[in-house]
Amino acid sequence: MANKMEKITLRDVDFSQWYTDVVKNAGLMEYGPVKGTMIFKPHGYAIWELIQKIADIEFKKLGVQNVYFPLLIPEKLFLAEKEHVEGFAPELATVTKVGDKNLGENLFIRPTSEVLVADFLSREINSYRDLPVKYNQWANVMRWEKTTRPFLRSSEFLWQEGHTFHSLKEEAKQMTLDILEVYKKLANDVLLLPVISGRKTEKEKFAGAKETYTIESLMYDGQSLQSGTSHYFEDNFAKAFNIKFQNKNQKEEYAYSSSWGISTRLIGAIIMTHSDDFGLVLPSKVAPIQISIIAINDSQEVMTVSNDLKTKLNSSFRVELDKSDKSFGFKISEAEIKGVPIRIEVGPRDLKDGVVTISRRDLRNKVQIKLAEVENYINKEILEHDKNLYKKALKNRTDKTFKAKTLKEYVSIIEKTPGFVLVPFCGEIECENDVKQKTSTNSRCIPEGVEQTKSKCFNCNKVSSLMVYFARAY
Amino acid sequence: MANKMEKITLRDVDFSQWYTDVVKNAGLMEYGPVKGTMIFKPHGYAIWELIQKIADIEFKKLGVQNVYFPLLIPEKLFLAEKEHVEGFAPELATVTKVGDKNLGENLFIRPTSEVLVADFLSREINSYRDLPVKYNQWANVMRWEKTTRPFLRSSEFLWQEGHTFHSLKEEAKQMTLDILEVYKKLANDVLLLPVISGRKTEKEKFAGAKETYTIESLMYDGQSLQSGTSHYFEDNFAKAFNIKFQNKNQKEEYAYSSSWGISTRLIGAIIMTHSDDFGLVLPSKVAPIQISIIAINDSQEVMTVSNDLKTKLNSSFRVELDKSDKSFGFKISEAEIKGVPIRIEVGPRDLKDGVVTISRRDLRNKVQIKLAEVENYINKEILEHDKNLYKKALKNRTDKTFKAKTLKEYVSIIEKTPGFVLVPFCGEIECENDVKQKTSTNSRCIPEGVEQTKSKCFNCNKVSSLMVYFARAY
């Protein structure tokens, strides 16, 4: 591992190679035998489990119930919602046989489960009393991708997909926005990603949705990463799947629906926002190991203190004390590269003075702390560690947020310092396709909290009433 | 729901129909659009989540780490272990194309992930320092089944699969047995299934394993349900996938491995062991709702007491207070059919006497309890509820456990009162195939804790040194 660490490319030299090096050396993942599939190693999967736990609690506060729908979708079911199937058709992995036998019809591995949920609920929902339905599932999905990248883009990925149905339009819309709030809080407070949020343009919204809301994080290199989306369907899916209910006035109505998801992409967002040339840096709330205690030797005194510290800290933190015969230096490197927020070194010389040496991963400092003060010190420093990560990420975003009025201005910014660029935009699909073709960038969102003023579209010059963030994106 | 409840077939009249009726009316599952696939509805999935949480803690105590391996396995990888592929070949769902394009090779949806883990570890393991590896994943798997049955047998099911590799033979064997202990405790103490356990015969062991250990529960109808298995591979998979490591003496050795799993079948086991003519009966530790508070009307007094009870009980139990406009009778039926262990009815007449009416699901009794004593009473009664479930299940098993010396004796028992039948058995595959063909039953396990005496095989009369349980099985 110590040797492996030297292989991390410098972040400012080759960001893309740096990312792969960090991912591999931190032991987060390896590629699977099928192109574009991922093996989540323990350290990588543990980050996902922590994200799951935190998000799941928030969903349940909104009355969401977990369910599990099947992996396979019959072709004919998928064809019911036209825009939806067009959005996914080229990426669908298809089961055509079992053993030696050909199946009569094609079965798609789910790229998302709207159609399964809608088909099921068309039989379950009869009355307003059966609504709202608020389902969520934590599952694997598959979208065959041409180019893949660890966590960001893989043929199979893990995610949660929420699907809700309501008797009232406004309730469905509110659910869409409530989830956006959950995602914003998760990103800002837990993952320490200072996201921007807002509505997607016509071009960028989800296949089949009326409106799509998004949170977008800015990576260290100035590219945007879509980090969570929440879709409002109005009655699109209810109409396609005939989901009707009798309302309180005994009249039949179509139900209103939303869907929303976050995925293992978030792990990529964390890495590309916080990590450095020495490996992973992790927000403490999703760090599988929050404190690593490293004994300099295995003398009785050192081991007693190390064990005592572990016992004491274990009640508030996820603590590891590696007792293997790996070298001291190796263990230090490992804690660093794996992004452990706090490292405690316990050595005989320090112990003579009644101290241990504590390092914060973000600062890579070394401070000697009296044994009796260790717990208080760590309580304080782990908060500072997190504050510092957020502050740095916010500074990066602020430094890389710009305005432009013309395509020329926009291009010169994007080419010099990639980042979020706020531009006046007409909002039309054709115009956005044109921008995409000219610049290989697209819109990220129509931001909340930014004044939407009338102006000329930065690309087509038509009158525009939208202010929109464009950026390069993963 | 009240109407639906009337549709439950009596358990003693038609056990199979009773089972389906309970599953559907309790809102546990519905079939998916692809034959043999299942939709886990909220109440069914919540039971699985509770099982997961409890089992996951026990695995972690044994040093197991969660991971996630890809869904798809390339055909050529699957062919490496011969017995293994033969065991699964006819059941493999196969992806042959993506979008319009045919893939060059067949990709199987995992029926289990031994080959993926082994292939991966052949690159990861070099030294004894890299061992042991103790992986587990909670995942969906697919085995195409001809006949399907809710929870017991479906094309896709949810499970956990553990995969461990060790530098020492004895350590791998011990891991196999440690997991068997975890499964036994989970079954007995949490799910209240009085299982028998032991080793599988040559015929019944897992494809590719050296030894398979199992826990077997006896359902109410006297049929056995394999409820968890733990496999010891010796170095079979290490040889097939070339997993070598340098031992402490710098010599190369093959690693030793185990794998083990429990699945959503356990939900079926719980239902078929504990439930009754009135619906689901659930062990309290896996009951998604442990206490249901039902307000007889929505007067201020009744609602205040109901809300107070909910707040008070919420800290120790999973409590529900349904405030919908469904009728009182409907809510009572719903709590019963969904297997809520404790039901509290709050009504104005009772409140005049300072009492509420409490029912235990297993007894279907009604007891008036003073408000101040509710918490103590429930603490006691929920334990009694669970004890009673275990006692009844154990009585059923004891009443239906028999001995036989000849095939004739065996058949007459099985035909009269299905159950576990202990017989002297030669252990040979041909002989067991013969028994299977004659009786449509097979061996369940070579039990632990039963004296293994020399005798004549109950079928072929050869000298036999094994005492083996045979039974009808799901």
Side-chain angles (χ1 to χ4, degrees):
Chain A
M1 186 70 79
N3 293 334
K4 279 191 195 163
M5 210 187 77
E6 290 167 35
K7 284 196 286 184
I8 293 184
T9 305
L10 295 177
R11 183 171 53 167
D12 287 327
V13 169
D14 181 347
F15 189 75
S16 170
Q17 188 57 46
W18 165 84
Y19 176 71
T20 309
D21 290 351
V22 169
V23 161
K24 297 270 179 151
N25 284 292
L28 298 181
M29 62 72 72
E30 290 291 337
Y31 283 113
V34 174
K35 191 183 151 291
T37 63
M38 270 181 63
I39 294 163
F40 288 74
K41 294 173 75 176
H43 200 52
Y45 194 74
I47 298 172
W48 181 235
E49 283 188 308
L50 290 162
I51 295 173
Q52 284 184 299
K53 257 181 215 163
I54 295 164
D56 203 68
I57 289 170
E58 296 305 314
F59 298 152
K60 281 177 178 155
K61 284 184 194 162
L62 294 173
V64 173
Q65 297 179 301
N66 284 343
V67 292
Y68 184 78
F69 278 76
L71 178 75
L72 297 179
I73 308 176
E75 183 167 26
K76 67 172 182 308
L77 208 60
F78 212 94
L79 301 177
E81 219 291 340
K82 242 188 163 183
E83 278 185 42
H84 192 66
V85 69
E86 280 168 14
F88 287 107
E91 302 175 355
L92 295 171
T94 310
V95 173
T96 61
K97 56 182 204 171
V98 170
D100 292 338
K101 288 178 193 156
N102 287 314
L103 294 167
E105 70 175 331
N106 288 338
L107 305 176
F108 299 140
I109 296 183
R110 63 181 164 221
T112 178
S113 305
E114 275 77 7
V115 300
L116 284 173
V117 177
D119 174 60
F120 168 68
L121 289 179
S122 68
R123 292 181 298 275
E124 292 272 311
I125 292 175
N126 298 301
S127 145
Y128 72 91
R129 284 200 178 87
D130 300 323
L131 294 168
V133 168
K134 299 179 183 177
Y135 284 171
N136 175 58
Q137 72 176 6
W138 294 95
N140 54 341
V141 286
M142 196 163 273
R143 300 175 187 179
W144 218 265
E145 300 277 0
K146 279 183 204 114
T147 54
T148 58
R149 223 178 150 84
F151 297 111
L152 302 182
R153 208 170 279 282
S154 49
S155 303
E156 181 188 7
F157 57 92
L158 303 179
W159 78 343
Q160 64 67 215
E161 46 178 323
H163 301 277
T164 73
F165 284 78
H166 307 261
S167 56
L168 300 171
K169 217 177 199 173
E170 306 73 50
E171 200 186 285
K173 180 71 187 280
Q174 192 55 49
M175 186 77 202
T176 315
L177 296 175
D178 285 349
I179 288 292
L180 187 70
E181 279 307 307
V182 168
Y183 289 167
K184 272 155 76 172
K185 273 182 64 179
L186 177 72
N188 281 302
D189 302 349
V190 176
L191 309 178
L192 310 175
L193 305 172
V195 293
I196 61 168
S197 60
R199 195 157 54 80
K200 285 282 186 190
T201 58
E202 276 303 294
K203 175 174 183 295
E204 289 296 310
K205 71 174 193 187
F206 184 72
K210 185 97 180 165
E211 292 175 352
T212 287
Y213 293 84
T214 182
I215 55 170
E216 302 276 327
S217 350
L218 200 70
M219 302 297 99
Y220 177 82
D221 68 343
Q223 293 200 60
S224 181
L225 184 76
Q226 180 177 301
S227 305
T229 48
S230 186
H231 317 294
Y232 169 61
F233 293 111
E234 207 175 53
D235 54 8
N236 281 1
F237 270 91
K239 278 183 176 156
F241 287 86
N242 201 30
I243 306 179
K244 285 183 191 164
F245 67 96
Q246 217 168 42
N247 66 21
K248 287 192 184 177
N249 307 320
Q250 317 230 299
K251 279 193 178 162
E252 278 212 329
E253 252 190 87
Y254 286 110
Y256 302 92
S257 67
S258 84
S259 82
W260 27 277
I262 50 173
S263 76
T264 39
R265 289 203 110 186
L266 285 173
I267 299 174
I270 295 169
I271 301 165
M272 295 202 297
T273 302
H274 303 304
S275 297
D276 63 19
D277 290 339
F278 305 94
L280 213 55
V281 177
L282 288 175
S284 70
K285 283 176 189 152
V286 295
I289 307 164
Q290 294 175 308
I291 300 174
S292 179
I293 301 171
I294 296 171
I296 289 184
N297 63 33
D298 59 358
S299 70
Q300 208 200 318
E301 191 195 11
V302 166
M303 288 317 294
T304 304
V305 171
S306 299
N307 283 320
D308 287 355
L309 277 173
K310 181 168 185 204
T311 309
K312 196 192 270 177
L313 296 168
N314 238 344
S315 59
S316 331
F317 300 103
R318 295 181 284 275
V319 188
E320 194 180 68
L321 168 56
D322 180 352
K323 291 181 181 173
S324 74
D325 66 356
K326 294 168 190 165
S327 76
F328 172 65
F330 183 96
K331 289 176 186 175
I332 301 265
S333 298
E334 204 170 32
E336 184 145 70
I337 208 165
K338 291 199 157 192
V340 179
I342 302 283
R343 191 177 76 225
I344 309 176
E345 296 167 26
V346 184
R349 243 187 266 173
D350 273 356
L351 287 186
K352 270 185 196 146
D353 303 327
V355 300
V356 292
T357 299
I358 300 185
S359 306
R360 236 172 73 185
R361 175 62 184 85
D362 59 325
L363 302 177
R364 307 186 71 239
N365 58 348
K366 288 203 172 206
V367 185
Q368 292 185 314
I369 300 295
K370 284 203 178 138
L371 271 171
E373 287 161 21
V374 167
E375 211 173 343
N376 278 340
Y377 182 77
I378 290 178
N379 275 320
K380 191 168 55 66
E381 287 301 305
I382 211 160
L383 291 178
E384 291 300 323
H385 171 275
D386 283 358
K387 267 191 210 162
N388 189 31
L389 297 201
Y390 190 83
K391 202 180 79 185
K392 282 205 264 184
L394 184 59
K395 183 172 186 317
N396 183 57
R397 193 193 84 185
T398 312
D399 289 351
K400 293 174 180 164
T401 299
F402 310 96
K403 284 185 184 181
K405 287 193 172 166
T406 64
L407 191 69
K408 202 177 155 197
E409 264 178 58
Y410 173 70
V411 170
S412 81
I413 292 170
I414 284 288
E415 282 179 357
K416 204 173 129 212
T417 322
F420 287 135
V421 187
L422 193 69
V423 295
F425 178 52
C426 64
E428 285 172 23
I429 294 188
E430 298 71 29
C431 181
E432 190 164 349
N433 283 336
D434 185 51
V435 174
K436 169 96 184 178
Q437 212 223 314
K438 288 173 182 162
T439 66
S440 297
T441 68
N442 53 24
S443 72
R444 306 318 304 160
C445 68
I446 306 158
E448 306 173 297
V450 168
E451 207 188 335
Q452 299 290 330
T453 45
K454 277 212 171 165
S455 186
K456 278 184 185 170
C457 173
F458 81 125
N459 183 46
C460 72
N461 273 323
K462 260 187 231 158
V463 174
S464 135
S465 58
L466 297 175
M467 295 300 293
V468 177
Y469 277 115
F470 274 67
R472 276 205 193 121
Y474 282 99
Chain B
M1 185 69 79
N3 293 334
K4 279 191 196 164
M5 209 187 78
E6 291 165 37
K7 283 196 286 182
I8 293 184
T9 304
L10 295 179
R11 183 172 54 167
D12 287 327
V13 169
D14 182 345
F15 189 75
S16 170
Q17 188 57 47
W18 164 84
Y19 176 71
T20 309
D21 289 351
V22 169
V23 161
K24 297 269 179 150
N25 283 292
L28 298 180
M29 61 73 71
E30 290 292 338
Y31 282 112
V34 174
K35 192 183 150 290
T37 62
M38 271 181 63
I39 293 163
F40 288 75
K41 294 173 74 176
H43 200 51
Y45 194 74
I47 298 172
W48 181 236
E49 282 188 308
L50 290 163
I51 295 173
Q52 284 185 300
K53 257 180 214 161
I54 295 164
D56 203 68
I57 290 169
E58 296 305 315
F59 298 152
K60 281 177 178 156
K61 284 184 194 162
L62 294 173
V64 173
Q65 297 178 302
N66 284 343
V67 293
Y68 184 77
F69 279 77
L71 178 75
L72 297 179
I73 309 177
E75 183 167 27
K76 67 171 181 308
L77 209 59
F78 213 92
L79 301 178
E81 219 290 341
K82 242 189 162 183
E83 278 183 43
H84 192 66
V85 70
E86 279 168 15
F88 286 107
E91 303 174 354
L92 295 170
T94 310
V95 173
T96 61
K97 56 182 204 170
V98 169
D100 292 337
K101 288 179 194 156
N102 288 313
L103 293 167
E105 69 175 331
N106 288 338
L107 304 176
F108 299 140
I109 296 183
R110 62 182 165 221
T112 179
S113 306
E114 275 77 6
V115 300
L116 285 172
V117 177
D119 173 61
F120 168 67
L121 290 179
S122 68
R123 292 181 296 277
E124 292 272 311
I125 292 174
N126 298 303
S127 145
Y128 71 93
R129 285 199 177 87
D130 300 323
L131 294 167
V133 168
K134 299 178 183 177
Y135 283 172
N136 175 59
Q137 72 177 6
W138 295 94
N140 54 341
V141 285
M142 196 163 272
R143 299 176 188 179
W144 218 265
E145 300 278 359
K146 279 183 203 114
T147 54
T148 57
R149 223 179 150 85
F151 298 112
L152 303 183
R153 206 170 280 283
S154 49
S155 303
E156 181 188 8
F157 57 93
L158 303 179
W159 79 342
Q160 65 65 214
E161 47 177 322
H163 300 277
T164 73
F165 283 78
H166 307 261
S167 56
L168 299 170
K169 217 177 199 171
E170 306 73 51
E171 199 185 285
K173 180 72 187 281
Q174 191 56 50
M175 187 77 201
T176 315
L177 296 175
D178 286 349
I179 288 293
L180 187 70
E181 278 308 306
V182 168
Y183 288 168
K184 272 155 74 174
K185 274 181 64 177
L186 177 72
N188 281 301
D189 303 348
V190 176
L191 310 178
L192 310 176
L193 305 172
V195 293
I196 60 167
S197 60
R199 195 157 54 81
K200 286 282 186 189
T201 58
E202 276 303 296
K203 175 175 183 295
E204 288 296 309
K205 70 175 195 186
F206 183 72
K210 185 97 179 164
E211 292 173 354
T212 287
Y213 293 84
T214 182
I215 55 170
E216 301 278 326
S217 349
L218 200 70
M219 303 297 98
Y220 177 81
D221 69 343
Q223 292 201 60
S224 180
L225 183 76
Q226 180 177 302
S227 306
T229 48
S230 186
H231 316 293
Y232 170 61
F233 293 112
E234 207 176 54
D235 54 8
N236 281 2
F237 270 92
K239 277 182 176 156
F241 287 87
N242 201 29
I243 306 179
K244 285 182 192 164
F245 67 96
Q246 218 168 42
N247 66 22
K248 288 192 184 177
N249 307 319
Q250 318 233 297
K251 279 193 178 162
E252 278 210 329
E253 255 188 86
Y254 286 110
Y256 301 92
S257 67
S258 84
S259 82
W260 28 278
I262 51 174
S263 76
T264 39
R265 288 203 110 188
L266 285 173
I267 298 173
I270 294 169
I271 301 165
M272 294 202 297
T273 302
H274 302 304
S275 297
D276 62 19
D277 289 339
F278 305 94
L280 213 55
V281 176
L282 288 176
S284 71
K285 284 177 187 152
V286 295
I289 307 163
Q290 295 174 307
I291 300 173
S292 179
I293 301 170
I294 296 171
I296 288 184
N297 63 31
D298 60 357
S299 69
Q300 207 200 321
E301 192 196 10
V302 166
M303 288 317 294
T304 303
V305 172
S306 300
N307 282 322
D308 286 356
L309 277 173
K310 182 169 185 202
T311 309
K312 198 194 266 178
L313 296 168
N314 238 345
S315 58
S316 331
F317 299 104
R318 294 181 285 275
V319 188
E320 195 180 66
L321 167 57
D322 181 351
K323 292 181 180 172
S324 74
D325 65 356
K326 293 169 190 165
S327 76
F328 172 63
F330 184 94
K331 288 177 187 176
I332 300 265
S333 298
E334 202 170 35
E336 183 144 72
I337 209 165
K338 291 202 159 193
V340 179
I342 302 283
R343 191 178 75 224
I344 308 176
E345 296 168 27
V346 184
R349 243 186 265 172
D350 273 355
L351 286 186
K352 269 183 197 148
D353 302 328
V355 300
V356 292
T357 299
I358 300 187
S359 307
R360 236 171 74 184
R361 176 62 184 85
D362 58 327
L363 302 178
R364 308 188 68 240
N365 59 347
K366 288 202 172 207
V367 184
Q368 292 186 314
I369 299 294
K370 285 202 178 136
L371 271 172
E373 286 161 20
V374 166
E375 211 172 344
N376 279 338
Y377 181 78
I378 290 178
N379 275 320
K380 192 169 56 69
E381 287 300 305
I382 210 160
L383 292 178
E384 291 301 324
H385 171 276
D386 283 358
K387 269 192 209 162
N388 188 33
L389 297 200
Y390 190 81
K391 203 180 78 185
K392 283 206 264 184
L394 185 59
K395 183 173 185 316
N396 183 58
R397 194 193 82 186
T398 311
D399 290 350
K400 292 175 182 165
T401 299
F402 310 96
K403 283 187 184 179
K405 285 191 174 169
T406 64
L407 192 69
K408 204 178 152 194
E409 265 178 58
Y410 173 70
V411 168
S412 80
I413 292 170
I414 284 289
E415 283 179 356
K416 205 174 127 210
T417 323
F420 287 135
V421 187
L422 193 68
V423 295
F425 178 52
C426 65
E428 284 171 22
I429 294 185
E430 298 71 28
C431 180
E432 189 164 349
N433 282 335
D434 187 50
V435 174
K436 170 97 186 180
Q437 213 222 313
K438 288 173 181 162
T439 67
S440 296
T441 68
N442 53 25
S443 71
R444 304 318 304 159
C445 68
I446 306 158
E448 304 173 299
V450 168
E451 207 189 333
Q452 299 291 328
T453 46
K454 276 211 173 165
S455 184
K456 278 183 184 170
C457 174
F458 81 125
N459 183 45
C460 72
N461 272 322
K462 260 187 234 162
V463 174
S464 134
S465 57
L466 297 175
M467 294 301 292
V468 178
Y469 277 115
F470 274 67
R472 278 205 192 121
Y474 281 99

